[in-house]
Amino acid sequence: MQTNARGIFEVKTIPQPADPAAGGDALGRLLLDKQFHGDLEATSKGTMLAAGTAVKGSAGYVALEIVTGALHGHTGTFILQHTGTMTRGTPELSITIVPDSGTGELVGLSGKMSIDRADGKHSYNLEYTLTQAQ
């Protein structure tokens, strides 16, 4: 049975120095530090790679983050995988739970997350299935 978890989160991004061996200035690398509130009470740590283009409003990013906390009272960890593009100002974003990444009471977790940003605040909606909750 699919369940929705909703709430807000704060994110801190920490830019990392350009690495010539990993694309230099063409690829930006940031560390992510998040605090989730609501149905998901958790923290996360992650890494993001981003690239802009010569065309204004076009870019792409990928990220992985490990989430640690409680989802509707079930404790454990899971990994989120992000893939985002911006085509001349039009965004497209996919955030999925990495298959079989759930631990503890979150073993068997699958699903996808959407995020919204309004008035400088972030909110999330996690649509998930927990098939083997302990």
Side-chain angles (χ1 to χ4, degrees):
M1 182 169 99
Q2 185 170 306
T3 305
N4 282 359
R6 293 185 174 87
I8 60 169
F9 68 94
E10 296 90 36
V11 60
K12 181 171 36 167
T13 58
I14 306 159
Q16 300 299 293
D19 182 350
D25 291 335
L27 298 177
R29 186 169 60 96
L30 300 104
L31 300 181
L32 304 172
D33 184 0
K34 292 183 181 176
Q35 298 282 327
F36 292 92
H37 308 286
D39 297 328
L40 174 62
E41 287 290 336
T43 60
S44 78
K45 303 285 185 186
T47 302
M48 178 173 122
L49 291 174
T53 71
V55 176
K56 184 178 178 173
S58 292
Y61 91 92
V62 294
L64 289 169
E65 64 181 299
I66 185 163
V67 179
T68 303
L71 175 60
H72 281 132
H74 300 281
T75 60
T77 66
F78 60 94
I79 298 171
L80 290 173
Q81 178 178 322
H82 302 233
T83 303
T85 57
M86 179 83 72
T87 305
R88 296 182 178 100
T90 302
E92 186 174 328
L93 178 60
S94 172
I95 306 171
T96 57
I97 297 171
V98 171
D100 299 315
S101 66
T103 68
E105 295 175 336
L106 297 176
V107 169
L109 181 67
S110 62
K112 61 184 179 178
M113 179 181 278
S114 60
I115 60 174
D116 187 41
R117 184 173 178 186
D119 300 323
K121 296 183 181 182
H122 293 87
S123 60
Y124 67 87
N125 180 30
L126 179 62
E127 298 176 7
Y128 71 94
T129 303
L130 187 55
T131 57
Q132 299 173 347
Q134 296 179 351

